[in-house]
Amino acid sequence: MTVFEIFAVCSPGIEKVLAQEISVLGYKNKTTPGGVIFKANLKGLYLTNLWLRTATRILIKIGSFKALNFKELIDKASRYPWEIYFSHTNSLKIRVTCKHSKLYHSKAVAERLLAAIKTRLGRELFLTNDKEAPLLVARLNHNEVLLRVDSSGKDLFKRGYKVAPGTAPLRENLAAALVLLSNWDKASPIIDPFCGTGTIIIEAAMIAANMAPGLNRSFAFQNWKNYQKDLFEALVEAAQKKISPPSSPIYGFDWSEKAILASQQNAKAAGVAPWTSFKKQEVKHLKPPAPKGFIVTNPPFGKRIRETLIPLRTLARKLQKDFFAWHLTFIYPSKKVPIAFPFELKVLTSFSHGGQRVYVFKK
């Protein structure tokens, strides 16, 4: 079976978390800015799309070559077996980045790559911005052309359970990264006191239940000519058999009744409703359900709570009084939290959330 060089894309800042996930699946890998590179066959490609919680998409390398002019680009790009990946479509997205190369105009490069693919396929094909269209990613660096095809389709953080959206939602893959960065033991209780629409709690429940995040969606590779339906369906069946009820209490709280209702609807859509508890409760009234546990949260900041630190300050007081023995992991849009916590906070990493750089703090 063919072995591919695979690039798992992620938000810059969580590469090490993604690399650990890939290692758990049994693949040696190396991190690079914005993702993780590893080698795998079609089984590995299917497995990583199905199981990776912190990846954005999975790209496979089609080839690389040097090109100093457009003729060379078209000639060399037309040699690859594009019929495997694009025989089912009449339109294509091509994303191009050019650095330190004689071919520096990304739109012109995309047009020539399309011409090369049309030559190989022997038929018409059109460029599009349609989100549902197959995606080719081209990177030109020092005249070296690297071509990758997207195997995922929709972004992998689109698990399919966000039926009730809310304000300032944390993407599913970033919520999963926070839970994994917290080193939650999956046996102690976990709480999100600012749960919003429930993303962190839902991701925690999926992790504790060993539920593959890609179970309820489709993937681009299912349209490829080399798609092995029996293999993929066997992997899906095996993943379903691995699901088991969590042993830990998993709680989400929020001051908003609307947020709690949204959380409950999303948890139901995700299939984790029986294992999660959502309750309307202000932070100042929280009581620890156990002597020790984990708090993982995306507290209100910025436009969500204009020029006020009341929610975070209230959380700090609760930690000093009632939750001192608990672990804490949260994000904040500054390298320094402007209020005093009753213990030292360590910055683990940072990533972009809603177009804003946020830092991951951990007790």
Side-chain angles (χ1 to χ4, degrees):
M1 189 177 286
T2 304
V3 174
F4 302 96
E5 180 183 288
I6 300 176
F7 182 46
V9 183
C10 68
S11 296
I14 61 172
E15 293 91 346
K16 290 182 180 179
V17 185
L18 176 57
Q20 180 59 29
E21 283 196 274
I22 295 170
S23 295
V24 169
L25 290 175
Y27 299 99
K28 294 180 180 179
N29 58 80
K30 63 177 181 179
T31 59
T32 188
V36 180
I37 296 172
F38 62 101
K39 291 185 177 180
N41 55 20
L42 282 175
K43 179 182 178 181
L45 184 72
Y46 299 168
L47 271 177
T48 48
N49 270 287
L50 196 58
W51 279 98
L52 293 180
R53 303 181 190 278
T54 58
T56 303
R57 60 182 60 251
I58 310 294
L59 309 176
I60 68 164
K61 179 181 176 180
I62 302 301
S64 60
F65 53 86
K66 182 166 284 188
L68 299 177
N69 55 63
F70 286 129
K71 183 180 184 303
E72 190 175 16
L73 177 68
I74 295 172
D75 288 346
K76 291 183 177 179
S78 64
R79 299 171 187 173
Y80 295 104
W82 300 113
E83 62 275 7
I84 294 175
Y85 311 103
F86 304 136
S87 62
H88 65 287
T89 187
N90 291 318
S91 59
L92 184 65
K93 284 183 298 184
I94 302 180
R95 293 179 185 168
V96 179
T97 57
C98 304
K99 293 182 179 179
H100 313 297
S101 296
K102 288 192 173 182
L103 301 178
Y104 59 86
H105 194 292
S106 58
K107 184 178 179 181
V109 170
E111 289 170 349
R112 272 40 172 221
L113 287 173
L114 182 72
I117 296 169
K118 286 160 61 175
T119 298
R120 175 76 186 197
L121 297 181
R123 62 177 176 83
E124 194 59 71
L125 199 64
F126 302 94
L127 286 177
T128 182
N129 290 319
D130 184 358
K131 292 181 180 179
E132 302 297 321
L135 171 65
L136 171 65
V137 179
R139 183 170 180 259
L140 279 67
N141 191 20
H142 292 282
N143 301 312
E144 190 73 17
V145 182
L146 173 61
L147 300 175
R148 293 183 173 121
V149 170
D150 169 48
S151 70
S152 302
K154 293 183 295 183
D155 290 323
L156 290 177
F157 62 78
K158 295 180 179 177
R159 321 273 204 234
Y161 64 72
K162 283 197 172 178
V163 295
T167 56
L170 190 64
R171 284 181 174 177
E172 294 90 318
N173 58 334
L174 299 179
L178 272 188
V179 175
L180 294 172
L181 284 166
S182 76
N183 290 325
W184 177 43
D185 58 16
K186 295 187 282 189
S188 304
I190 186 169
I191 288 176
D192 182 356
F194 308 105
C195 71
T197 54
T199 311
I200 290 174
I201 290 303
I202 291 169
E203 291 295 320
M206 292 175 71
I207 290 169
N210 203 27
M211 179 185 290
L215 276 178
N216 297 315
R217 52 162 291 158
S218 59
F219 300 95
F221 62 72
Q222 290 174 282
N223 292 313
W224 294 357
K225 271 194 171 182
N226 63 356
Y227 174 50
Q228 296 185 16
K229 184 178 179 181
D230 290 346
L231 172 60
F232 179 63
E233 289 181 350
L235 295 175
V236 169
E237 184 179 353
Q240 289 170 334
K241 289 179 179 178
K242 289 182 178 180
I243 299 172
S244 59
S247 59
S248 53
I250 303 171
Y251 302 106
F253 299 97
D254 202 282
W255 66 270
S256 166
E257 184 73 34
K258 184 178 179 181
I260 294 302
L261 289 173
S263 295
Q264 292 169 338
Q265 290 174 343
N266 290 336
K268 183 178 180 181
V272 301
W275 312 320
T276 56
S277 174
F278 294 98
K279 183 179 179 182
K280 183 177 182 297
Q281 184 84 72
E282 291 188 44
V283 178
K284 62 183 178 182
H285 297 309
L286 285 183
K287 296 295 180 183
K292 292 183 179 181
F294 289 74
I295 295 175
V296 181
T297 191
N298 169 24
F301 56 75
K303 293 180 180 178
R304 292 168 62 187
I305 300 292
R306 290 184 183 277
E307 299 177 356
T308 178
L309 294 168
I310 293 174
L312 202 57
R313 186 176 289 115
T314 304
L315 178 62
R317 289 171 181 164
K318 292 299 294 184
L319 285 159
Q320 184 171 22
K321 182 180 178 183
D322 300 320
F323 291 84
F324 192 82
W326 282 55
H327 300 274
L328 171 67
T329 305
F330 69 98
I331 58 175
Y332 192 76
S334 172
K335 281 187 177 181
K336 186 176 181 180
V337 181
I339 62 170
F341 274 79
F343 39 68
E344 183 181 354
L345 292 172
K346 179 183 179 182
V347 178
L348 298 183
T349 187
S350 66
F351 53 76
S352 178
H353 163 44
Q356 186 173 27
R357 176 63 49 179
V358 296
Y359 298 82
V360 181
F361 291 86
K362 184 179 178 183
K363 172 193 172 185

